[in-house]
Structure formats: C-alpha cells, structure tokens
Amino acid sequence: MDKLWAMEVFVRVMECGSLSRAAESLDLANATVTTSLRNLEAHLGTTLIQRNSRHLHLTEEGRIFLPHCQEILRSVARAESDVKIQGSEVVGPLRVEAPFAIGQNLLCPALVELTRRHPGLSVSVSLTNDPHNLIERATDVAIRMDRVEDADLVGRPIYEAQYIVCGTPEVVGAMRAATPRDLDPGRCLGLFAEGNHTPNPWRFSKDEDEVVVNPGGPLSFNNTAALIQAALQDVGLIYVLDVFVSDLVKQGKLVELFPDWQTSKRTFHAVTVKSRFAAPKVRAFIDFLLEIFDARRRPSVTTMIAVGPGRKKRKPL
C-alpha cells in the first residue's frame, strides 16, 4: 500500500465532505477511493471514518490521525517545491575534479567569470592527476583525458588538443631546423609520466614520413606548467598540447614550429555520473567549459567516450 497516497485520499475525503466529491477532485473512480480508505484502516487496525449514504463522521482515531496526515502532506509539498526551485536555478555547491595542467592553465583562471554569472554557485575544485571515483567523492563534474573506462560514467567531448613544438623567438631564431628530423635533442625539454623520469618521445608524421625525437635537454618535468615556464626562459623547445600555449603563441611569446606536420592528439571530456537528469549547475558548468576551449577544435558528438573494462596507463599532461 502507498501510505502517502492513502493519506492524501483520506484528507481529500474529509476536505470534500463525501467520497464521490473526493473521487471527482482526484479524477478517480468512487470504488478506488473507497478501497483506499479501507486499506488504510486495515493497515492501522482501526476505523477512521464512520460513513453512511449521506454523512461522514471522523472517529476519535480519525480526529487524531487527520492533522498528522495534513502536516505530512504539507511537508511533502514544501520539499517538492524546494527541490523544483533548486532544480531550475544555477545554485548550490558544485564539486569539480581536473588534472593539474588543465586546472592551473585553463580552468582555475576562468572560474571567477563563472561565479560572476551565477552568484548562487559555490565551486570547489580538486586538482589531481590520479582520477578518483566520482560517486565516492560526490564529484559533480570531472575533466578527463582520452578514454573514460567506467560504465557508470558518461562524458561529453569538449576539446581535441594536438601537440605542437614551440619555443621563444630567440630560441627558434637560433635554430636551423627545416623538419623535425633536424631537431637537436639537446635543445628539447622533456615531459615525463609520474614515477617515470624518462621523457616521452616527440612523434611527427607527414604523408608517409615519420619522425621520433627523444628529448635530451637540460630540464624535464612531470608538470606542463613548469615545462612552459622553462621554455619562456629560453632554455629550449617544448612539445606540449596546443591548448596550454595558444595564448602565448598569439601573443608572440612562443613560436610554433612545423605546423604542417601531424602530431599526437588527445581529447578532453567533461565527465559526470550517468543520470536521467542533469542539474542546471552541471549543465551551466559544461556550457562554460565549451566556452573556455576552442570550439573549432571540438570533436564531434560521434566521438563520445568509449566505455570498456580495465584502466589504461595514464599519459602525462
């Protein structure tokens, strides 16, 4: 028996003064209302209403039970109203997880604008290169790279980034490298994965020509922000995702080399727990991410995340 529904029928009968008028107001058959009252009384083990063909009278038990039912129904109505208001406005706490490089270079500097747009939103950001369980951490949105291998999650592709080689005008001007094959590994700064101090190779392709450069410069890092700062100090060239240096390239602080050569690509996804409904705060945040990332490089929706068993070895950012 649906107790809450039975209470609503009981209250409506007393408000209307008859079973037939209560049935009409609820768009139910008279027999349905009668059955609901009988089931409720059977559940309580007492009679709530004395009734004949013309009159209804509350029993002593009915007089005790009625105000409790009315208060419960009012509480339910208030709860539903509060949830609907919350569910239609961009308000409340929003918990976000992102890799360090994305958070430091892109996300965190832009969040001031998000909070200006939505003053009722409170954003907390966890930066980590070790993705956590979104359900256990009560995380609303995470930014993940490449594949998301969890059947409980769904991701929306927000940006397809490509590695580029770049350096300061001074460093680039001192080099005579017409192709990646001409690069001096000793002037190439490295980026390595957590726990592995061997820099990742730089890969290039053009038509059927493929080139791999193993950086052997004086500095290497496991952090993209540190790598970029070293490049800005004329230490050497870097091989980094375009999204992290696009502003610096536009400003002329860094110069891109070999734009006609293909390099590796990586896709960023906004990841959430699977749900039939997305809260307005989550939708607003994902829309904001799409503004941050360059729409011209956004992958199509046909490249939505692949879900599969296991966990791939993480690549450095």
Side-chain angles (χ1 to χ4, degrees):
M1 180 185 69
D2 186 337
K3 295 180 186 178
L4 191 63
W5 170 243
M7 289 179 184
E8 185 172 351
V9 171
F10 169 56
V11 170
R12 188 63 62 88
V13 167
M14 296 314 303
E15 289 175 345
C16 294
S18 78
L19 273 67
S20 60
R21 285 196 291 271
E24 182 179 358
S25 70
L26 293 169
D27 195 23
L28 297 173
N30 289 354
T32 302
V33 172
T34 300
T35 300
S36 177
L37 281 175
R38 286 177 179 170
N39 290 340
L40 181 60
E41 290 175 332
H43 173 72
L44 296 171
T46 188
T47 300
L48 297 173
I49 301 175
Q50 296 285 0
R51 48 195 179 271
N52 57 32
S53 58
R54 294 187 177 183
H55 302 286
L56 298 176
H57 297 283
L58 283 172
T59 63
E60 181 62 24
E61 291 79 6
R63 281 192 291 272
I64 294 172
F65 193 56
L66 180 61
H68 289 298
C69 292
Q70 291 170 326
E71 178 56 31
I72 289 170
L73 293 173
R74 283 193 293 267
S75 295
V76 170
R78 286 194 297 269
E80 290 178 338
S81 176
D82 289 346
V83 169
K84 288 178 180 178
I85 291 173
Q86 179 81 6
S88 62
E89 297 181 358
V90 182
V91 297
L94 179 72
R95 297 177 179 86
V96 178
E97 179 189 293
F100 277 103
I102 297 172
Q104 292 171 338
N105 289 277
L106 300 172
L107 179 60
C108 295
L111 286 178
V112 172
E113 174 59 25
L114 178 66
T115 57
R116 284 174 180 164
R117 294 184 192 180
H118 307 289
L121 195 62
S122 174
V123 185
S124 59
V125 181
S126 175
L127 300 183
T128 176
N129 288 339
D130 186 15
H132 297 123
N133 185 294
L134 268 60
I135 297 175
E136 291 178 359
R137 295 296 183 99
T139 300
D140 296 299
V141 187
I143 301 176
R144 298 277 171 86
M145 303 290 287
D146 306 322
R147 293 166 57 90
V148 179
E149 298 177 329
D150 191 329
D152 294 325
L153 304 179
V154 63
R156 177 174 179 176
I158 54 177
Y159 191 83
E160 187 175 68
Q162 183 168 341
Y163 284 94
I164 66 171
V165 175
C166 58
T168 60
E170 291 75 15
V171 169
V172 171
M175 292 189 173
R176 301 184 182 279
T179 73
R181 203 181 303 277
D182 301 323
L183 285 174
D184 176 5
R187 300 302 307 276
C188 300
L189 309 184
L191 185 69
F192 56 85
E194 193 75 33
N196 179 8
H197 292 276
T198 301
N200 298 293
W202 300 4
R203 302 184 185 279
F204 305 87
S205 64
K206 184 178 181 181
D207 300 326
E208 296 183 358
D209 192 8
E210 295 187 359
V211 178
V212 177
V213 176
N214 292 302
L219 293 175
S220 59
F221 305 88
N222 70 337
N223 180 276
T224 300
L227 184 71
I228 294 171
Q229 287 304 311
L232 290 171
Q233 297 179 59
D234 301 326
V235 181
L237 298 174
I238 58 174
Y239 182 83
V240 65
L241 290 173
D242 56 4
V243 69
F244 297 136
V245 292
S246 58
D247 288 342
L248 294 171
V249 171
K250 290 177 183 177
Q251 295 164 12
K253 296 180 180 179
L254 293 176
V255 177
E256 179 182 357
L257 288 169
F258 321 125
D260 54 338
W261 284 72
Q262 296 297 312
T263 58
S264 302
K265 296 180 180 180
R266 301 187 69 182
T267 301
F268 298 174
H269 293 91
V271 179
T272 59
V273 177
K274 279 187 178 178
S275 173
R276 291 179 58 197
F277 305 102
K281 61 184 180 182
V282 172
R283 294 197 299 269
F285 180 73
I286 293 177
D287 289 342
F288 184 68
L289 288 179
L290 294 173
E291 293 182 29
I292 296 175
F293 292 95
D294 186 351
R296 292 171 300 173
R297 297 291 299 279
R298 194 176 308 147
S300 68
V301 293
T302 58
T303 64
M304 292 293 280
I305 61 170
V307 175
R311 184 173 179 180
K312 292 180 68 177
K313 182 178 179 181
R314 294 192 306 276
K315 298 179 181 178
L317 296 180

